[in-house]
Amino acid sequence: MNGTRPRNTRSQRLLEERTADLQRVKAEYDNYRKRVRRDRMAVREIAVANVLRALLPVLDAVDRAGEHEPMTRGLKDIADTLETQLGSLGLQAFGEEGEPFDPTRHDAVTHHISPDADRLTCTEILRPGYRLGDHLLRPAHVEVTGPPPHDGNPDRTRP
């Protein structure tokens, strides 16, 4: 009986070691799968952002065409379909007249001084900005109007 007991303890110990090894390998594999899934999503997001960035000039061209002449029914259908499909990929336009100027989202092309203004405000959207989720694809080009600088120097603005 003494001979079987150490063997059982030894077998039990080997079983516990192999079980621990298996649990470690399983945890490593689970972490690997999560990392691969995360990497695939990151690559997909980068690819979508690159495609959307490449199509922004097409949106600009459609907008310019609509500004210079009335859109034909066919061009209107194309513009609507393009906007719908790009929106389904997550493209979001931004830039509204009257919104506060945000240098992280807007490029100020022109600055007007108004003694009545209490902060910098987007007064005209020259080119809309676009984002994909939290990622800025392109800032909006805007004209801003704001208060005169405190020191009277018109070359300096305050946000």
Side-chain angles (χ1 to χ4, degrees), residues 112-146:
H112 303 283
I113 295 175
S114 171
D116 300 333
D118 59 348
R119 63 187 165 124
L120 289 176
T121 305
C122 299
T123 49
E124 187 173 346
I125 307 303
L126 304 173
R127 187 179 80 176
Y130 292 96
R131 68 175 186 247
L132 176 62
D134 292 336
H135 301 287
L136 181 69
L137 297 179
R138 179 177 84 185
H141 283 191
V142 298
E143 286 188 12
V144 295
T145 299

